[in-house]
Amino acid sequence: MDAPKPLHSYRPYWAKRFGTAQFLPMSRQEMDALGWDSCDVILVTGDAYIDHPSFGMALVGRLLEAQGFRVGIIAQPDWQTAEPFKVLGKPNLYFGVTAGNMDSLVNRYTADRKIRSDDAYTPEGIAGKRPDRAVLVYSQRCREAYPDTVLVIGSIEASLRRIAHYDYWSDKVRRSILVDSKADILLYGNAERALVELTHRLAKGEPIADVTDLRGTAFTRKGIPEGWLEVASTSMDRPGHVDVHVDPYAMEPALETTGKSCAATASEAAASDARTNVIQFHRKPKADRAHQVVRLPAYEEVSSDPVMYAHASRVLHLESNPGNARALIQRHGDREVWLNPPPIPLTTREMDYVYDLPYARGPHPVYQGAKIPAWEMIRFSVNIMRGCFGGCTFCSITEHEGRIIQSRSEESILHEIEEIRDKVEGFTGIISDLGGPTANMYRLACKDPKIESACRKLSCVYPDICDNLNTDHSALVQLYRKARQIKGVKRILIGSGLRYDLAVKSPEYVKELVQHHVGGYLKIAPEHSEENVLSKMMKPGMGAYDKFKQMFEKFSKEVGKEQYLIPYFIAAHPGTTDEDMLNLALWLKKNNFRLDQVQTFTPTPMAMATAMYHSGKNPLRKVTKTSEDVPIPKAGGKRRLHKAFLRWHDPANWPLLREALKNMGREDLIGNARHCLIPAWQPLGSASYSPRNGKAVKSNDPGAKRPMQQRPMPKRSKSTRG
């Protein structure tokens, strides 16, 4: 595939631009005011329309508008009929369908598959404004409204379901969303390049069926085109013992049958060849990777064989570097789902182009000032980069945005801060975040582009930070200092999660962060304390946490500030045993942490940890029938117990923990001594959970004893107090 054309070099082929509106139109009346008789592209989204670059439909809409196309928005339509999908008429080019910034199932259901009571992307946080599997439902309604219109799907929901995937909510492997939605093409990852080129090519009249060469796209086709070499994924990473076939043209003895060493046998064979002048056969030169396609096991195979599912997941992740990834193909019945290699990351200039577009920076007036929680959270924050090279197995950021960090320029970021100061209502001088997927990967990259393009590692920081990774935080320190100098800005806070194993490599950065950008509490995510669990997460050991904690406390003390770390942990992650969670609970008690909000592992599509959860195998290594078995806390009672260990201090969890500790032979941890985890008696009137059915009960037994006071905890904020 040829090098991509820079985004800012595109020019409209035919669509007339009618000037920049404050908002993209959501109604016929707004289209009439702009003088439009139709839209070129109509974006359908499960989120409320907020014209800000943190919201996908706004970013895509403004990007296409800048290319000269007329873009309309249908936000959170009533999906019961096709009529709401006709409100802007038939698009000239295509419908672009997304579920929104979040996966619709993650948005609606908790980790225990219980329905959430709110939706942060809806006015007033009202739940139920989008359907489950929103991409599928919206796609069906678009087809009903205008059957012959091109249908393009994208967003994180579509991106993470581009091949056959395990679906936690139905507990089965589902087909590629491309097949189920009957879309013409799927754009995965951050798809600005593919989106812009696709739109221009359709505008020139090219049929959608001919657009098969765009990176970051997936589509269905009948077979493999001429000129492509198919490589079976099982030949690259065999998911079991495979007998090696004898090559009849090798013209040399089978080395394993001679009883001699390989070196000795090879030497004798060479001497024999020299004596007899045997014709030398030349192997076929290695094929061009750009024209190789890797065949994954078919949907029918991965849906019935968890080991093959884990194998397919492993191969997909190994083929994710834009510098060396090959196309992938997976059969679904009589169709082939074809995935082109991932998109080439945006340059700094292109990132600036995308983020400097004329966003209105607020919700559409149709919402009449209603509070939208997601907007309230980010209205005073700035996204400075995208991507993550951490590769945490439970997280989907890497699968969606890629491992290569894409950073904006200082000038673009500082300009956006000034835009917030001048245009965003309610600004009080405090920027709530300068970050992204992580707080401190800005401008970090491989030291050698050639090594980066050839690398097939799943993480740049696990098991140790790669020697080829630049960990210099000086650019970020300089950005912080310049941002603080902007007139009208009183404080710059950092709200994104911090990668502390990287931060400790730059003491200057930690000092700058702690002394100027922490508002009393700083979020970090050790996720667990036990090495065998951390190895399944691809997270660093607690040594890096301890080192960062020492630096954090030292620099806080230097400026006379009382500040605290807020650690985040995951319960019931694949590979976690009851003993692991007990050890984590003891670590929390020892370090005086009483967690208020905890999270239970949710298997999201395409994540490596999800492959572990479904298969019971570890796809971080070669997967076979006899390879490492990973313990999976799947049952509801087991997941509930692991969550209870994280909130060991909550009386509601004590009955469950008492029974578990007895079953584990750790009754020594039940009592009122300082070393005990929980007391022996339940407080009067306290809510608790039955260890058998998980239902809430109350201890009203007049004979129940009150426990002796345990060692007092230091005063904490509500976010850490039980």
Side-chain angles (χ1 to χ4, degrees), residues 7 50 103 119 202 210 235 300 393 499 560 576 585 687:
L7 289 181
I50 301 170
D103 183 289
D119 181 345
L202 293 179
D210 292 348
S235 69
E300 291 77 11
T393 61
R499 189 79 195 199
T576 310

Side-chain angles (χ1 to χ4, degrees), residues 5-19 40-41 62-71 93 195-205 353 357:
K5 186 178 179 182
L7 289 181
H8 43 76
S9 67
Y10 280 93
R11 292 291 180 268
Y13 289 115
W14 63 274
K16 181 180 178 182
R17 189 177 182 186
F18 289 86
D40 300 320
V41 177
R62 290 301 187 192
L63 178 61
L64 291 178
E65 179 195 46
Q67 300 293 314
F69 298 104
R70 296 168 291 184
V71 183
L93 299 179
L195 181 80
V196 169
E197 184 171 348
L198 171 69
T199 310
H200 279 287
R201 287 168 68 170
L202 293 179
K204 289 198 299 183
Y353 174 76
L357 294 170

Side-chain angles (χ1 to χ4, degrees), residues 659-672:
E659 181 160 304
L661 291 173
K662 290 176 183 177
N663 293 336
M664 295 166 68
R666 295 305 307 270
E667 294 179 75
D668 58 302
L669 296 175
I670 304 173
N672 300 314

